[in-house]
Amino acid sequence: MKDPLLQRVATPLLCALLLGSALPVHAGRPAPTNDFSKAEAGERAQGGDTTHDKRLNADAFSHSSANLSFEKRLDFALGNGMFKKIWVSSPSSTTASDGLGPLYNARSCQRCHLKDGRGHPPEGNYPQDTAVSMFLRLSIPPQNEAQRKALAEGRLGVIPEPTYGGQLQDFAIQGLPAEGRMHIDYREIPVQLSDGETASLRQPSYRITDLGFGPLHPQTLLSPRVAPPMIGLGLLEAIDEADILAQQDPEDRDGDGISGRANQVWHRQRQALALGRFGWKAGNPTLNQQNTSAFNGDIGISNPDSPAPSGDCTVNQPLCLQAPNGNTEQHDNQEISRQMTDLVLFYSRNLALPPRRDVDDPQVLAGKKVFYETGCIRCHTPKYVTGDNPALPEQANQLIWPYSDLLLHDMGEGLADHRPEFLASGREWRTPPLWGIGLTETVNDHSYFLHDGRARSLLEAILWHGGEAEPMKQAVIEMPRQQRANLIRFLESL
């Protein structure tokens, strides 16, 4: 068998038969392996049949699902065009692209998700650098009974800051001031590891300078966020809800110290609570809601699901509310139509995973053993078989390897933002998928990780783990240097 990606171009069942391994073909969570002498069947094709086999260069995250039909590749290309579209302010002669802002963080989706990959913190504070792929979420504690009731019922996940809204927009159209500038200061924290090895963690602190609309509420809560990678999102949406919920253990009844729980968030189309899957705190239930919220909040583009033409403007920003918009009949009386957001949805749903590298390498296998036996898989669930959905055949019935349970976990005080979001506390974060993480530097030319990019390496990201992951972190600190190197080598292969 010359083609090591046979499992990608064949069906999972055929691949299992050819490789002599009984892979499941029904939705579920296959049991993790305890054999680290060789790679598992299907492991290299971490996105199942969707995994691409293109060159692993700076475009490695920008290819379509390998099992897309020729006809559907046109929709993918059109969605890619919408993802890259540069928006301009209204009024404009180009009515197909106007409606930017009035306040915004970026002029296109691609500006934050550069090459469909991971964002990063600025290399310096403004004006040295502009934080295009990172911004600050804003909120305040509830101030009255109506707000407390909306939070309790889940109709709101947060109470926006009354002047600046739900996030800080650091750009504005002509005639308006930007809301402000994110300012980051770092403090180095040394960490002593076994075998004489040392590491240093940079602890960030955040503040806002150059406020454009007056002072912030005195109880304002800040939460920094970098843009996450776009790959594999359609596959995460295709995991059966029951397989995610079955991993919950909020009371830690099994006594393993892990208390994962699902976020329950507001589904705008259904007008009901639903399982949160997307975002750093699992604050959105669907990929479409994640996309359309970003169009409205990050770029200021109204759409059928987030129809405010002034984006995140508040009543305390009257000039912002009075700014012209780009709503047109040809776009469903919005600035971007349902057809256009559907194309972006199709594009983001079908951004393919790259293949794993070096799955049979002895050091990678040794690192995989460390990852599993240290207990990392208690949160970073290795694999699933996606559900059977005839409407989305590309993502259906696929053996996938995201290394995430998509649940919320207490990550300790070191990573806490102290800003609740729906059911997520100020110390909880959704387990991020790890697939593709080893290609971050190849695609995005940096190695910054975690929700705010504070970690400058995979080892630093591990050393920031606390809370439920504290025992695993301590095990990494205390293990022999070679085992740590093996663990990092395994992560680099994902």
Side-chain angles (χ1 to χ4, degrees):
M1 199 166 36
K2 294 182 179 180
D3 181 6
L5 266 184
L6 179 62
Q7 63 266 40
R8 179 187 64 73
V9 297
T11 65
L13 177 57
L14 176 59
C15 184
L17 293 172
L18 291 174
L19 293 175
S21 174
L23 296 182
V25 294
H26 54 82
R29 286 180 294 120
T33 187
N34 57 10
D35 180 1
F36 303 102
S37 64
K38 62 183 183 300
E40 298 174 68
E43 191 170 9
R44 186 164 185 256
Q46 55 187 342
D49 292 352
T50 70
T51 310
H52 73 72
D53 59 358
K54 309 295 185 182
R55 292 181 62 185
L56 300 181
N57 54 22
D59 295 319
F61 291 173
S62 298
H63 300 292
S64 64
S65 299
N67 56 356
L68 272 186
S69 67
F70 178 80
E71 294 78 11
K72 289 183 178 181
R73 290 179 192 274
L74 176 59
D75 287 338
F76 182 85
L78 291 171
N80 187 17
M82 292 301 306
F83 195 80
K84 293 179 176 179
K85 177 194 279 286
I86 302 295
W87 294 87
V88 298
S89 58
S90 301
S92 167
S93 59
T94 172
T95 57
S97 299
D98 70 337
L100 176 69
L103 302 169
Y104 61 97
N105 294 104
R107 293 179 61 193
S108 73
C109 307
Q110 181 82 354
R111 287 286 288 161
C112 286
H113 302 276
L114 187 62
K115 306 295 283 186
D116 304 294
R118 187 183 304 271
H120 61 86
E123 295 295 342
N125 291 310
Y126 183 84
Q128 293 175 273
D129 194 359
T130 55
V132 174
S133 59
M134 180 179 181
F135 60 78
L136 289 171
R137 295 273 192 214
L138 308 175
S139 63
I140 61 172
Q143 304 294 300
N144 53 53
E145 188 56 38
Q147 291 178 349
R148 283 187 282 273
K149 185 173 186 290
L151 291 175
E153 294 174 349
R155 290 183 288 110
L156 290 178
V158 299
I159 305 301
E161 201 281 337
T163 298
Y164 292 90
Q167 66 193 57
L168 182 76
Q169 278 95 11
D170 50 0
F171 294 101
I173 63 173
Q174 187 173 2
L176 280 179
E179 288 190 317
R181 305 291 179 185
M182 175 175 61
H183 187 100
I184 313 175
D185 293 302
Y186 291 105
R187 178 173 67 92
E188 293 290 333
I189 302 174
V191 179
Q192 185 66 48
L193 309 176
S194 67
D195 292 350
E197 192 175 5
T198 60
S200 183
L201 306 183
R202 59 174 189 173
Q203 183 178 54
S205 60
Y206 298 92
R207 56 191 173 93
I208 300 174
T209 64
D210 303 319
L211 287 166
F213 296 88
L216 289 161
H217 190 282
Q219 294 177 287
T220 299
L221 306 171
L222 309 179
S223 184
R225 308 288 173 89
V226 297
M230 297 293 297
I231 50 174
L233 298 180
L235 293 169
L236 297 180
E237 194 168 44
I239 298 172
D240 270 11
E241 181 173 318
D243 292 328
I244 299 172
L245 297 179
Q247 300 175 86
Q248 292 191 101
D249 187 16
E251 305 301 325
D252 190 22
R253 295 186 184 278
D254 61 7
D256 68 351
I258 304 300
S259 306
R261 61 186 184 131
N263 206 351
Q264 294 293 322
V265 303
W266 194 250
H267 193 303
R268 292 183 196 142
Q269 288 183 316
R270 296 181 189 171
Q271 288 291 290
L273 289 172
L275 170 67
R277 297 181 190 232
F278 299 102
W280 285 104
K281 286 182 180 275
N284 275 308
T286 67
L287 187 49
N288 181 67
Q289 187 164 310
Q290 179 80 6
N291 290 347
T292 55
S293 297
F295 264 118
N296 197 243
D298 301 352
I299 313 178
I301 300 298
S302 64
N303 58 77
D305 296 314
S306 294
S310 51
D312 195 36
C313 295
T314 72
V315 294
N316 292 317
Q317 298 168 328
L319 292 179
C320 184
L321 294 174
Q322 294 164 17
N325 62 66
N327 290 358
T328 63
E329 289 187 13
Q330 70 189 75
H331 291 159
D332 305 330
N333 293 315
Q334 303 292 334
E335 292 167 331
I336 185 172
S337 67
R338 172 74 67 191
Q339 181 185 24
M340 297 160 82
T341 59
D342 282 350
L343 286 170
V344 174
L345 175 61
F346 186 82
Y347 174 74
S348 55
R349 187 173 272 157
N350 282 286
L351 279 164
L353 271 301
R356 281 273 311 277
R357 283 85 56 216
D358 305 321
V359 292
D360 281 314
D361 181 274
Q363 188 179 9
V364 169
L365 290 170
K368 179 180 177 181
K369 185 173 189 287
V370 172
F371 186 87
Y372 280 52
E373 294 184 350
T374 303
C376 303
I377 63 170
R378 295 176 188 170
C379 300
H380 291 282
T381 304
K383 54 189 172 179
Y384 300 83
V385 174
T386 60
D388 182 14
N389 185 352
L392 299 171
E394 292 79 21
Q395 287 77 40
N397 303 307
Q398 299 298 319
L399 175 64
I400 64 172
W401 305 73
Y403 284 93
S404 173
D405 59 9
L406 299 180
L407 296 178
L408 300 170
H409 293 277
D410 181 343
M411 294 302 295
E413 188 61 27
L415 289 178
D417 65 354
H418 303 292
R419 179 181 179 271
E421 184 175 338
F422 290 103
L423 297 183
S425 75
R427 290 167 54 107
E428 288 180 314
W429 301 92
R430 184 203 66 162
T431 307
L434 298 181
W435 51 14
I437 199 168
L439 286 172
T440 300
E441 193 162 5
T442 299
V443 173
N444 294 122
D445 199 30
H446 71 77
S447 58
Y448 298 130
F449 302 105
L450 301 177
H451 66 279
D452 56 1
R454 68 176 68 188
R456 295 161 292 192
S457 67
L458 291 169
L459 178 59
E460 284 188 32
I462 294 169
L463 296 177
W464 271 111
H465 284 50
E468 296 174 40
E470 182 69 26
M472 295 75 175
K473 178 187 75 177
Q474 290 300 324
V476 172
I477 289 174
E478 296 165 9
M479 67 179 52
R481 179 196 294 250
Q482 186 57 55
Q483 284 192 15
R484 275 196 302 273
N486 293 344
L487 173 62
I488 297 303
R489 185 71 185 88
F490 165 68
L491 293 174
E492 290 172 344
S493 78
L494 294 178

